[in-house]
Amino acid sequence: MIAAAALVACGGGSGAKASQTAAKVNKEEITVHQINFVLQTQPNLKPEQVDGASRQVLERLIDQELAVQKAQDLKLDRDPRVVQQIETAKREIIARAYAAHVGETASKPSEQDIHKYYVENPALFAERRIYSLQEINIEAKPEQREAIRDRLQGGANKSMQEFLEGLKTDGLRFTGSQAVRAAEQIPLQNLDAIARLKDGQFIMNATPGGVVVLFLAGSQRQPYTEAQARPSIEQFLLNQRRTELLAKDIKAMRENAKIEYVGKFAEAAASAPASTSPTVSPGAAASDSAPGAASGPVDSSAPSKGLDIK
């Protein structure tokens, strides 16, 4: 908090024009520029809300400035931990600025690119479903896994409760959770496997401590047309291109830089190649989340409901 406060407070110097001064806190000024910067980080702010939001932001900046001044009086800004946090935040901001600069050179996807992605991902669009998923994490030894699978295949179609009662009879410990997820809210690496399930079917995977069972309790078709999906696909593909450009740029800089690992890090570097994946994101970075997660007819903020089973 103190590091962030110190960074923000740097913007209000005594040389600011009087017309740009929003408040004075002892000898320091808080400017309209500082307020506007904070407001820009608040999405979906309506014009009629700006005045009220500005006053709220100003009050927070006043509290922040008071905290900064008190911290400086106590010489907390010279504390090595605080100095390190400020330096880390500064480096992160500068690196992200460079990432954004590289991302600006990415070309927008064409209509053909958008159409191709739509066609190649029916589970996200043309065959999109809303999934009611139940996940059971079971503590089990490797030799017990086959018996769990047999019980699943023999009893899961009768009822979930019967399967759970069977686990209790076998003396197996487990926990469960339940959630409703739209296709775009499921990680892409998992979506294809879940989309292949029919209602009542399951996926069972081994874990270090046992097995995890994912049941598809039910589903509902809610497809997206290509027109509906187009904005999300365009943004998703653009973010992918930005990330790929940044990865390529970082890789080239690594190849041309003199990087020398020291001590135990030298031993680790000798046994494993360094990662060239970008560690800074060009704006809204591409991720393993599917496009369209923030749009469409599904309320993505709907809370998950636990099974309350042990």
Side-chain angles (χ1 to χ4, degrees), residues 214-236:
L214 185 68
F215 286 97
L216 178 57
S219 63
Q220 181 182 359
R221 284 179 58 88
Q222 285 194 16
Y224 277 152
T225 65
E226 186 169 348
Q228 287 176 311
R230 185 187 183 284
S232 295
I233 296 175
E234 182 178 28
Q235 187 62 54
F236 180 78

mmCIF file with all atom_site columns, all heavy atoms in Angstrom, residues 214-236:
data_model
loop_
_atom_site.group_PDB
_atom_site.id
_atom_site.type_symbol
_atom_site.label_atom_id
_atom_site.label_alt_id
_atom_site.label_comp_id
_atom_site.label_asym_id
_atom_site.label_entity_id
_atom_site.label_seq_id
_atom_site.pdbx_PDB_ins_code
_atom_site.Cartn_x
_atom_site.Cartn_y
_atom_site.Cartn_z
_atom_site.occupancy
_atom_site.B_iso_or_equiv
_atom_site.pdbx_formal_charge
_atom_site.auth_seq_id
_atom_site.auth_comp_id
_atom_site.auth_asym_id
_atom_site.auth_atom_id
_atom_site.pdbx_PDB_model_num
ATOM 1   N N   . LEU A 1 214 ? -15.293 -35.734 -12.521 1.00 0.00 ? 214 LEU A N   1
ATOM 2   C CA  . LEU A 1 214 ? -16.094 -34.597 -12.976 1.00 0.00 ? 214 LEU A CA  1
ATOM 3   C C   . LEU A 1 214 ? -17.344 -35.129 -13.647 1.00 0.00 ? 214 LEU A C   1
ATOM 4   O O   . LEU A 1 214 ? -17.275 -35.783 -14.694 1.00 0.00 ? 214 LEU A O   1
ATOM 5   C CB  . LEU A 1 214 ? -15.288 -33.727 -13.945 1.00 0.00 ? 214 LEU A CB  1
ATOM 6   C CG  . LEU A 1 214 ? -15.977 -32.428 -14.394 1.00 0.00 ? 214 LEU A CG  1
ATOM 7   C CD1 . LEU A 1 214 ? -16.087 -31.458 -13.218 1.00 0.00 ? 214 LEU A CD1 1
ATOM 8   C CD2 . LEU A 1 214 ? -15.216 -31.782 -15.546 1.00 0.00 ? 214 LEU A CD2 1
ATOM 9   N N   . PHE A 1 215 ? -18.495 -34.858 -13.045 1.00 0.00 ? 215 PHE A N   1
ATOM 10  C CA  . PHE A 1 215 ? -19.779 -35.292 -13.587 1.00 0.00 ? 215 PHE A CA  1
ATOM 11  C C   . PHE A 1 215 ? -20.428 -34.142 -14.355 1.00 0.00 ? 215 PHE A C   1
ATOM 12  O O   . PHE A 1 215 ? -20.392 -32.992 -13.910 1.00 0.00 ? 215 PHE A O   1
ATOM 13  C CB  . PHE A 1 215 ? -20.752 -35.688 -12.468 1.00 0.00 ? 215 PHE A CB  1
ATOM 14  C CG  . PHE A 1 215 ? -20.450 -37.002 -11.816 1.00 0.00 ? 215 PHE A CG  1
ATOM 15  C CD1 . PHE A 1 215 ? -19.740 -37.045 -10.641 1.00 0.00 ? 215 PHE A CD1 1
ATOM 16  C CD2 . PHE A 1 215 ? -20.891 -38.192 -12.376 1.00 0.00 ? 215 PHE A CD2 1
ATOM 17  C CE1 . PHE A 1 215 ? -19.458 -38.248 -10.021 1.00 0.00 ? 215 PHE A CE1 1
ATOM 18  C CE2 . PHE A 1 215 ? -20.625 -39.405 -11.766 1.00 0.00 ? 215 PHE A CE2 1
ATOM 19  C CZ  . PHE A 1 215 ? -19.900 -39.437 -10.588 1.00 0.00 ? 215 PHE A CZ  1
ATOM 20  N N   . LEU A 1 216 ? -21.028 -34.482 -15.473 1.00 0.00 ? 216 LEU A N   1
ATOM 21  C CA  . LEU A 1 216 ? -21.891 -33.523 -16.148 1.00 0.00 ? 216 LEU A CA  1
ATOM 22  C C   . LEU A 1 216 ? -23.320 -33.823 -15.720 1.00 0.00 ? 216 LEU A C   1
ATOM 23  O O   . LEU A 1 216 ? -23.981 -34.720 -16.248 1.00 0.00 ? 216 LEU A O   1
ATOM 24  C CB  . LEU A 1 216 ? -21.742 -33.633 -17.673 1.00 0.00 ? 216 LEU A CB  1
ATOM 25  C CG  . LEU A 1 216 ? -22.642 -32.693 -18.482 1.00 0.00 ? 216 LEU A CG  1
ATOM 26  C CD1 . LEU A 1 216 ? -22.426 -31.240 -18.093 1.00 0.00 ? 216 LEU A CD1 1
ATOM 27  C CD2 . LEU A 1 216 ? -22.416 -32.874 -19.974 1.00 0.00 ? 216 LEU A CD2 1
ATOM 28  N N   . ALA A 1 217 ? -23.789 -33.086 -14.715 1.00 0.00 ? 217 ALA A N   1
ATOM 29  C CA  . ALA A 1 217 ? -25.119 -33.333 -14.176 1.00 0.00 ? 217 ALA A CA  1
ATOM 30  C C   . ALA A 1 217 ? -26.211 -32.938 -15.158 1.00 0.00 ? 217 ALA A C   1
ATOM 31  O O   . ALA A 1 217 ? -27.298 -33.521 -15.174 1.00 0.00 ? 217 ALA A O   1
ATOM 32  C CB  . ALA A 1 217 ? -25.302 -32.571 -12.865 1.00 0.00 ? 217 ALA A CB  1
ATOM 33  N N   . GLY A 1 218 ? -25.933 -31.933 -16.006 1.00 0.00 ? 218 GLY A N   1
ATOM 34  C CA  . GLY A 1 218 ? -26.908 -31.482 -16.995 1.00 0.00 ? 218 GLY A CA  1
ATOM 35  C C   . GLY A 1 218 ? -26.315 -30.380 -17.838 1.00 0.00 ? 218 GLY A C   1
ATOM 36  O O   . GLY A 1 218 ? -25.280 -29.802 -17.498 1.00 0.00 ? 218 GLY A O   1
ATOM 37  N N   . SER A 1 219 ? -26.966 -30.091 -18.940 1.00 0.00 ? 219 SER A N   1
ATOM 38  C CA  . SER A 1 219 ? -26.476 -29.018 -19.810 1.00 0.00 ? 219 SER A CA  1
ATOM 39  C C   . SER A 1 219 ? -27.631 -28.455 -20.627 1.00 0.00 ? 219 SER A C   1
ATOM 40  O O   . SER A 1 219 ? -28.673 -29.095 -20.776 1.00 0.00 ? 219 SER A O   1
ATOM 41  C CB  . SER A 1 219 ? -25.379 -29.529 -20.755 1.00 0.00 ? 219 SER A CB  1
ATOM 42  O OG  . SER A 1 219 ? -25.885 -30.517 -21.636 1.00 0.00 ? 219 SER A OG  1
ATOM 43  N N   . GLN A 1 220 ? -27.416 -27.256 -21.142 1.00 0.00 ? 220 GLN A N   1
ATOM 44  C CA  . GLN A 1 220 ? -28.441 -26.577 -21.940 1.00 0.00 ? 220 GLN A CA  1
ATOM 45  C C   . GLN A 1 220 ? -27.768 -25.888 -23.116 1.00 0.00 ? 220 GLN A C   1
ATOM 46  O O   . GLN A 1 220 ? -26.781 -25.172 -22.951 1.00 0.00 ? 220 GLN A O   1
ATOM 47  C CB  . GLN A 1 220 ? -29.169 -25.542 -21.077 1.00 0.00 ? 220 GLN A CB  1
ATOM 48  C CG  . GLN A 1 220 ? -30.262 -24.790 -21.809 1.00 0.00 ? 220 GLN A CG  1
ATOM 49  C CD  . GLN A 1 220 ? -30.923 -23.743 -20.919 1.00 0.00 ? 220 GLN A CD  1
ATOM 50  O OE1 . GLN A 1 220 ? -30.558 -23.610 -19.756 1.00 0.00 ? 220 GLN A OE1 1
ATOM 51  N NE2 . GLN A 1 220 ? -31.866 -23.005 -21.462 1.00 0.00 ? 220 GLN A NE2 1
ATOM 52  N N   . ARG A 1 221 ? -28.282 -26.100 -24.288 1.00 0.00 ? 221 ARG A N   1
ATOM 53  C CA  . ARG A 1 221 ? -27.713 -25.481 -25.483 1.00 0.00 ? 221 ARG A CA  1
ATOM 54  C C   . ARG A 1 221 ? -28.082 -24.004 -25.553 1.00 0.00 ? 221 ARG A C   1
ATOM 55  O O   . ARG A 1 221 ? -29.246 -23.638 -25.430 1.00 0.00 ? 221 ARG A O   1
ATOM 56  C CB  . ARG A 1 221 ? -28.218 -26.188 -26.754 1.00 0.00 ? 221 ARG A CB  1
ATOM 57  C CG  . ARG A 1 221 ? -27.563 -27.532 -27.016 1.00 0.00 ? 221 ARG A CG  1
ATOM 58  C CD  . ARG A 1 221 ? -28.129 -28.188 -28.267 1.00 0.00 ? 221 ARG A CD  1
ATOM 59  N NE  . ARG A 1 221 ? -27.957 -27.316 -29.448 1.00 0.00 ? 221 ARG A NE  1
ATOM 60  C CZ  . ARG A 1 221 ? -26.879 -27.304 -30.227 1.00 0.00 ? 221 ARG A CZ  1
ATOM 61  N NH1 . ARG A 1 221 ? -25.876 -28.116 -29.951 1.00 0.00 ? 221 ARG A NH1 1
ATOM 62  N NH2 . ARG A 1 221 ? -26.800 -26.511 -31.263 1.00 0.00 ? 221 ARG A NH2 1
ATOM 63  N N   . GLN A 1 222 ? -27.086 -23.165 -25.749 1.00 0.00 ? 222 GLN A N   1
ATOM 64  C CA  . GLN A 1 222 ? -27.286 -21.733 -25.974 1.00 0.00 ? 222 GLN A CA  1
ATOM 65  C C   . GLN A 1 222 ? -26.227 -21.277 -26.982 1.00 0.00 ? 222 GLN A C   1
ATOM 66  O O   . GLN A 1 222 ? -25.220 -20.678 -26.610 1.00 0.00 ? 222 GLN A O   1
ATOM 67  C CB  . GLN A 1 222 ? -27.172 -20.936 -24.671 1.00 0.00 ? 222 GLN A CB  1
ATOM 68  C CG  . GLN A 1 222 ? -28.384 -21.075 -23.758 1.00 0.00 ? 222 GLN A CG  1
ATOM 69  C CD  . GLN A 1 222 ? -28.406 -20.023 -22.662 1.00 0.00 ? 222 GLN A CD  1
ATOM 70  O OE1 . GLN A 1 222 ? -27.707 -19.017 -22.724 1.00 0.00 ? 222 GLN A OE1 1
ATOM 71  N NE2 . GLN A 1 222 ? -29.219 -20.248 -21.644 1.00 0.00 ? 222 GLN A NE2 1
ATOM 72  N N   . PRO A 1 223 ? -26.436 -21.565 -28.258 1.00 0.00 ? 223 PRO A N   1
ATOM 73  C CA  . PRO A 1 223 ? -25.412 -21.252 -29.266 1.00 0.00 ? 223 PRO A CA  1
ATOM 74  C C   . PRO A 1 223 ? -25.276 -19.758 -29.525 1.00 0.00 ? 223 PRO A C   1
ATOM 75  O O   . PRO A 1 223 ? -26.183 -18.965 -29.259 1.00 0.00 ? 223 PRO A O   1
ATOM 76  C CB  . PRO A 1 223 ? -25.941 -21.976 -30.512 1.00 0.00 ? 223 PRO A CB  1
ATOM 77  C CG  . PRO A 1 223 ? -27.421 -22.041 -30.309 1.00 0.00 ? 223 PRO A CG  1
ATOM 78  C CD  . PRO A 1 223 ? -27.625 -22.211 -28.833 1.00 0.00 ? 223 PRO A CD  1
ATOM 79  N N   . TYR A 1 224 ? -24.090 -19.386 -30.007 1.00 0.00 ? 224 TYR A N   1
ATOM 80  C CA  . TYR A 1 224 ? -23.810 -18.038 -30.479 1.00 0.00 ? 224 TYR A CA  1
ATOM 81  C C   . TYR A 1 224 ? -23.752 -18.061 -32.002 1.00 0.00 ? 224 TYR A C   1
ATOM 82  O O   . TYR A 1 224 ? -23.148 -18.956 -32.591 1.00 0.00 ? 224 TYR A O   1
ATOM 83  C CB  . TYR A 1 224 ? -22.449 -17.541 -29.975 1.00 0.00 ? 224 TYR A CB  1
ATOM 84  C CG  . TYR A 1 224 ? -22.434 -16.976 -28.593 1.00 0.00 ? 224 TYR A CG  1
ATOM 85  C CD1 . TYR A 1 224 ? -21.270 -17.043 -27.831 1.00 0.00 ? 224 TYR A CD1 1
ATOM 86  C CD2 . TYR A 1 224 ? -23.542 -16.355 -28.036 1.00 0.00 ? 224 TYR A CD2 1
ATOM 87  C CE1 . TYR A 1 224 ? -21.224 -16.509 -26.550 1.00 0.00 ? 224 TYR A CE1 1
ATOM 88  C CE2 . TYR A 1 224 ? -23.496 -15.816 -26.762 1.00 0.00 ? 224 TYR A CE2 1
ATOM 89  C CZ  . TYR A 1 224 ? -22.339 -15.901 -26.020 1.00 0.00 ? 224 TYR A CZ  1
ATOM 90  O OH  . TYR A 1 224 ? -22.300 -15.371 -24.756 1.00 0.00 ? 224 TYR A OH  1
ATOM 91  N N   . THR A 1 225 ? -24.351 -17.081 -32.626 1.00 0.00 ? 225 THR A N   1
ATOM 92  C CA  . THR A 1 225 ? -24.161 -16.915 -34.066 1.00 0.00 ? 225 THR A CA  1
ATOM 93  C C   . THR A 1 225 ? -22.782 -16.297 -34.302 1.00 0.00 ? 225 THR A C   1
ATOM 94  O O   . THR A 1 225 ? -22.160 -15.754 -33.391 1.00 0.00 ? 225 THR A O   1
ATOM 95  C CB  . THR A 1 225 ? -25.235 -16.007 -34.671 1.00 0.00 ? 225 THR A CB  1
ATOM 96  O OG1 . THR A 1 225 ? -25.075 -14.677 -34.128 1.00 0.00 ? 225 THR A OG1 1
ATOM 97  C CG2 . THR A 1 225 ? -26.632 -16.523 -34.355 1.00 0.00 ? 225 THR A CG2 1
ATOM 98  N N   . GLU A 1 226 ? -22.333 -16.358 -35.538 1.00 0.00 ? 226 GLU A N   1
ATOM 99  C CA  . GLU A 1 226 ? -21.024 -15.775 -35.842 1.00 0.00 ? 226 GLU A CA  1
ATOM 100 C C   . GLU A 1 226 ? -21.040 -14.266 -35.620 1.00 0.00 ? 226 GLU A C   1
ATOM 101 O O   . GLU A 1 226 ? -20.043 -13.686 -35.171 1.00 0.00 ? 226 GLU A O   1
ATOM 102 C CB  . GLU A 1 226 ? -20.627 -16.094 -37.281 1.00 0.00 ? 226 GLU A CB  1
ATOM 103 C CG  . GLU A 1 226 ? -19.221 -15.659 -37.627 1.00 0.00 ? 226 GLU A CG  1
ATOM 104 C CD  . GLU A 1 226 ? -18.726 -16.208 -38.943 1.00 0.00 ? 226 GLU A CD  1
ATOM 105 O OE1 . GLU A 1 226 ? -19.378 -17.118 -39.506 1.00 0.00 ? 226 GLU A OE1 1
ATOM 106 O OE2 . GLU A 1 226 ? -17.677 -15.734 -39.421 1.00 0.00 ? 226 GLU A OE2 1
ATOM 107 N N   . ALA A 1 227 ? -22.171 -13.634 -35.914 1.00 0.00 ? 227 ALA A N   1
ATOM 108 C CA  . ALA A 1 227 ? -22.275 -12.186 -35.700 1.00 0.00 ? 227 ALA A CA  1
ATOM 109 C C   . ALA A 1 227 ? -22.160 -11.841 -34.215 1.00 0.00 ? 227 ALA A C   1
ATOM 110 O O   . ALA A 1 227 ? -21.527 -10.854 -33.833 1.00 0.00 ? 227 ALA A O   1
ATOM 111 C CB  . ALA A 1 227 ? -23.597 -11.672 -36.270 1.00 0.00 ? 227 ALA A CB  1
ATOM 112 N N   . GLN A 1 228 ? -22.787 -12.655 -33.363 1.00 0.00 ? 228 GLN A N   1
ATOM 113 C CA  . GLN A 1 228 ? -22.706 -12.425 -31.919 1.00 0.00 ? 228 GLN A CA  1
ATOM 114 C C   . GLN A 1 228 ? -21.277 -12.625 -31.401 1.00 0.00 ? 228 GLN A C   1
ATOM 115 O O   . GLN A 1 228 ? -20.813 -11.895 -30.532 1.00 0.00 ? 228 GLN A O   1
ATOM 116 C CB  . GLN A 1 228 ? -23.640 -13.383 -31.177 1.00 0.00 ? 228 GLN A CB  1
ATOM 117 C CG  . GLN A 1 228 ? -25.117 -13.059 -31.303 1.00 0.00 ? 228 GLN A CG  1
ATOM 118 C CD  . GLN A 1 228 ? -25.980 -14.109 -30.625 1.00 0.00 ? 228 GLN A CD  1
ATOM 119 O OE1 . GLN A 1 228 ? -25.808 -15.305 -30.845 1.00 0.00 ? 228 GLN A OE1 1
ATOM 120 N NE2 . GLN A 1 228 ? -26.912 -13.664 -29.803 1.00 0.00 ? 228 GLN A NE2 1
ATOM 121 N N   . ALA A 1 229 ? -20.602 -13.623 -31.936 1.00 0.00 ? 229 ALA A N   1
ATOM 122 C CA  . ALA A 1 229 ? -19.283 -13.991 -31.440 1.00 0.00 ? 229 ALA A CA  1
ATOM 123 C C   . ALA A 1 229 ? -18.165 -13.136 -32.016 1.00 0.00 ? 229 ALA A C   1
ATOM 124 O O   . ALA A 1 229 ? -17.062 -13.101 -31.459 1.00 0.00 ? 229 ALA A O   1
ATOM 125 C CB  . ALA A 1 229 ? -19.007 -15.462 -31.757 1.00 0.00 ? 229 ALA A CB  1
ATOM 126 N N   . ARG A 1 230 ? -18.426 -12.444 -33.116 1.00 0.00 ? 230 ARG A N   1
ATOM 127 C CA  . ARG A 1 230 ? -17.358 -11.763 -33.842 1.00 0.00 ? 230 ARG A CA  1
ATOM 128 C C   . ARG A 1 230 ? -16.522 -10.813 -32.975 1.00 0.00 ? 230 ARG A C   1
ATOM 129 O O   . ARG A 1 230 ? -15.288 -10.872 -33.002 1.00 0.00 ? 230 ARG A O   1
ATOM 130 C CB  . ARG A 1 230 ? -17.948 -10.998 -35.037 1.00 0.00 ? 230 ARG A CB  1
ATOM 131 C CG  . ARG A 1 230 ? -16.899 -10.366 -35.922 1.00 0.00 ? 230 ARG A CG  1
ATOM 132 C CD  . ARG A 1 230 ? -17.504 -9.479  -37.011 1.00 0.00 ? 230 ARG A CD  1
ATOM 133 N NE  . ARG A 1 230 ? -16.472 -8.944  -37.867 1.00 0.00 ? 230 ARG A NE  1
ATOM 134 C CZ  . ARG A 1 230 ? -15.649 -7.952  -37.534 1.00 0.00 ? 230 ARG A CZ  1
ATOM 135 N NH1 . ARG A 1 230 ? -15.767 -7.380  -36.348 1.00 0.00 ? 230 ARG A NH1 1
ATOM 136 N NH2 . ARG A 1 230 ? -14.714 -7.537  -38.367 1.00 0.00 ? 230 ARG A NH2 1
ATOM 137 N N   . PRO A 1 231 ? -17.113 -9.887  -32.184 1.00 0.00 ? 231 PRO A N   1
ATOM 138 C CA  . PRO A 1 231 ? -16.280 -8.958  -31.402 1.00 0.00 ? 231 PRO A CA  1
ATOM 139 C C   . PRO A 1 231 ? -15.347 -9.674  -30.430 1.00 0.00 ? 231 PRO A C   1
ATOM 140 O O   . PRO A 1 231 ? -14.180 -9.290  -30.286 1.00 0.00 ? 231 PRO A O   1
ATOM 141 C CB  . PRO A 1 231 ? -17.309 -8.096  -30.664 1.00 0.00 ? 231 PRO A CB  1
ATOM 142 C CG  . PRO A 1 231 ? -18.558 -8.203  -31.478 1.00 0.00 ? 231 PRO A CG  1
ATOM 143 C CD  . PRO A 1 231 ? -18.554 -9.586  -32.020 1.00 0.00 ? 231 PRO A CD  1
ATOM 144 N N   . SER A 1 232 ? -15.854 -10.721 -29.776 1.00 0.00 ? 232 SER A N   1
ATOM 145 C CA  . SER A 1 232 ? -15.031 -11.449 -28.812 1.00 0.00 ? 232 SER A CA  1
ATOM 146 C C   . SER A 1 232 ? -13.905 -12.204 -29.496 1.00 0.00 ? 232 SER A C   1
ATOM 147 O O   . SER A 1 232 ? -12.773 -12.233 -29.003 1.00 0.00 ? 232 SER A O   1
ATOM 148 C CB  . SER A 1 232 ? -15.895 -12.426 -28.014 1.00 0.00 ? 232 SER A CB  1
ATOM 149 O OG  . SER A 1 232 ? -16.836 -11.735 -27.220 1.00 0.00 ? 232 SER A OG  1
ATOM 150 N N   . ILE A 1 233 ? -14.212 -12.827 -30.631 1.00 0.00 ? 233 ILE A N   1
ATOM 151 C CA  . ILE A 1 233 ? -13.173 -13.562 -31.364 1.00 0.00 ? 233 ILE A CA  1
ATOM 152 C C   . ILE A 1 233 ? -12.104 -12.600 -31.853 1.00 0.00 ? 233 ILE A C   1
ATOM 153 O O   . ILE A 1 233 ? -10.900 -12.880 -31.749 1.00 0.00 ? 233 ILE A O   1
ATOM 154 C CB  . ILE A 1 233 ? -13.787 -14.327 -32.553 1.00 0.00 ? 233 ILE A CB  1
ATOM 155 C CG1 . ILE A 1 233 ? -14.750 -15.405 -32.053 1.00 0.00 ? 233 ILE A CG1 1
ATOM 156 C CG2 . ILE A 1 233 ? -12.690 -14.961 -33.412 1.00 0.00 ? 233 ILE A CG2 1
ATOM 157 C CD1 . ILE A 1 233 ? -15.483 -16.132 -33.165 1.00 0.00 ? 233 ILE A CD1 1
ATOM 158 N N   . GLU A 1 234 ? -12.518 -11.456 -32.377 1.00 0.00 ? 234 GLU A N   1
ATOM 159 C CA  . GLU A 1 234 ? -11.559 -10.474 -32.889 1.00 0.00 ? 234 GLU A CA  1
ATOM 160 C C   . GLU A 1 234 ? -10.607 -10.028 -31.783 1.00 0.00 ? 234 GLU A C   1
ATOM 161 O O   . GLU A 1 234 ? -9.383  -9.973  -31.986 1.00 0.00 ? 234 GLU A O   1
ATOM 162 C CB  . GLU A 1 234 ? -12.301 -9.274  -33.466 1.00 0.00 ? 234 GLU A CB  1
ATOM 163 C CG  . GLU A 1 234 ? -11.369 -8.221  -34.063 1.00 0.00 ? 234 GLU A CG  1
ATOM 164 C CD  . GLU A 1 234 ? -12.133 -7.054  -34.669 1.00 0.00 ? 234 GLU A CD  1
ATOM 165 O OE1 . GLU A 1 234 ? -13.258 -6.779  -34.202 1.00 0.00 ? 234 GLU A OE1 1
ATOM 166 O OE2 . GLU A 1 234 ? -11.608 -6.434  -35.600 1.00 0.00 ? 234 GLU A OE2 1
ATOM 167 N N   . GLN A 1 235 ? -11.152 -9.717  -30.595 1.00 0.00 ? 235 GLN A N   1
ATOM 168 C CA  . GLN A 1 235 ? -10.313 -9.277  -29.492 1.00 0.00 ? 235 GLN A CA  1
ATOM 169 C C   . GLN A 1 235 ? -9.396  -10.396 -29.019 1.00 0.00 ? 235 GLN A C   1
ATOM 170 O O   . GLN A 1 235 ? -8.215  -10.177 -28.712 1.00 0.00 ? 235 GLN A O   1
ATOM 171 C CB  . GLN A 1 235 ? -11.181 -8.775  -28.338 1.00 0.00 ? 235 GLN A CB  1
ATOM 172 C CG  . GLN A 1 235 ? -10.395 -8.128  -27.208 1.00 0.00 ? 235 GLN A CG  1
ATOM 173 C CD  . GLN A 1 235 ? -9.640  -6.895  -27.675 1.00 0.00 ? 235 GLN A CD  1
ATOM 174 O OE1 . GLN A 1 235 ? -10.206 -5.978  -28.256 1.00 0.00 ? 235 GLN A OE1 1
ATOM 175 N NE2 . GLN A 1 235 ? -8.328  -6.869  -27.434 1.00 0.00 ? 235 GLN A NE2 1
ATOM 176 N N   . PHE A 1 236 ? -9.931  -11.606 -28.939 1.00 0.00 ? 236 PHE A N   1
ATOM 177 C CA  . PHE A 1 236 ? -9.149  -12.755 -28.492 1.00 0.00 ? 236 PHE A CA  1
ATOM 178 C C   . PHE A 1 236 ? -7.971  -13.014 -29.424 1.00 0.00 ? 236 PHE A C   1
ATOM 179 O O   . PHE A 1 236 ? -6.830  -13.196 -28.973 1.00 0.00 ? 236 PHE A O   1
ATOM 180 C CB  . PHE A 1 236 ? -10.056 -13.982 -28.426 1.00 0.00 ? 236 PHE A CB  1
ATOM 181 C CG  . PHE A 1 236 ? -9.355  -15.236 -27.975 1.00 0.00 ? 236 PHE A CG  1
ATOM 182 C CD1 . PHE A 1 236 ? -9.075  -15.449 -26.641 1.00 0.00 ? 236 PHE A CD1 1
ATOM 183 C CD2 . PHE A 1 236 ? -8.982  -16.210 -28.888 1.00 0.00 ? 236 PHE A CD2 1
ATOM 184 C CE1 . PHE A 1 236 ? -8.436  -16.613 -26.219 1.00 0.00 ? 236 PHE A CE1 1
ATOM 185 C CE2 . PHE A 1 236 ? -8.344  -17.369 -28.482 1.00 0.00 ? 236 PHE A CE2 1
ATOM 186 C CZ  . PHE A 1 236 ? -8.076  -17.564 -27.144 1.00 0.00 ? 236 PHE A CZ  1
#
